């Protein structure tokens, strides 16, 4: 099985306007979806990400506070998944709760190295 990183891109403004009940529903949807992925043998790990952080750039490293995207979009979390192929992960990702509130998902295959 290959590994894939599913990045959850959220609109920060949309999330700020969700009611507490909607936020609870979103969290519940993610927990239930993760359980479904685990039952299907696709879930390795996953977590939400806090806002902020730092970015370190350059040969003489410079530390900058986040967020870093020029748009209002943030990476709100991730799932590390395993599947036979990209088509399977695409099918899985279409059901991600991130899409319920207008978010997008990005799939990145994990490189495999032979040592």
């Amino acid at each position: 099985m290959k590994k894939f990183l599913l990045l959850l891109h959220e609109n920060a403004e949309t999330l700020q306007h969700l009611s507490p009940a909607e936020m609870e529903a979103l969290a519940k949807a993610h927990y239930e979806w993760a359980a479904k992925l685990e039952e299907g043998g696709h879930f390795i790990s996953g977590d939400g990400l806090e806002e902020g952080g730092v970015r370190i750039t350059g040969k003489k490293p410079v530390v900058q506070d986040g967020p870093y995207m020029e748009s209002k979009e943030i990476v709100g979390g991730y799932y590390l998944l395993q599947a036979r192929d990209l088509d399977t992960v695409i099918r899985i990702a279409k059901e991600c709760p991130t899409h319920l509130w207008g978010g997008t998902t990005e799939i990145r295959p994990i490189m495999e190295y032979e040592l």
Side-chain angles (χ1 to χ4, degrees), residues 5-58:
L5 184 64
L6 182 66
L7 294 169
L8 312 180
H9 296 270
E10 309 279 1
N11 183 303
E13 190 173 310
T14 299
L15 289 180
Q16 289 175 348
H17 289 94
L18 293 180
S19 70
E22 289 171 322
M23 286 298 290
E24 188 175 319
L26 178 59
K28 182 179 179 187
H30 276 286
Y31 286 125
E32 290 173 354
W33 194 62
K36 180 181 172 183
L37 292 173
E38 191 165 24
E39 288 173 13
H42 297 290
F43 182 83
I44 297 172
S45 68
D47 275 305
L49 300 173
E50 292 186 17
E51 288 186 40
V54 297
R55 176 172 66 175
I56 303 170
T57 59

Side-chain angles (χ1 to χ4, degrees), residues 86-108:
L86 180 60
D87 290 335
T88 301
V89 175
I90 290 171
R91 180 183 48 76
I92 290 168
K94 287 179 179 180
E95 299 177 1
C96 182
T98 294
H99 299 284
L100 296 174
W101 280 270
T104 60
T105 51
E106 175 185 354
I107 300 168
R108 300 291 306 266

Side-chain angles (χ1 to χ4, degrees), residues 1 5 27 45 53 56 65-66 68 73 75-76 81-82 95 101 107-108 112:
M1 298 267 266
L5 184 64
S45 68
I56 303 170
D65 289 333
Y68 326 106
E73 188 178 85
V75 177
L81 305 174
Q82 61 184 4
E95 299 177 1
W101 280 270
I107 300 168
R108 300 291 306 266
E112 295 180 23

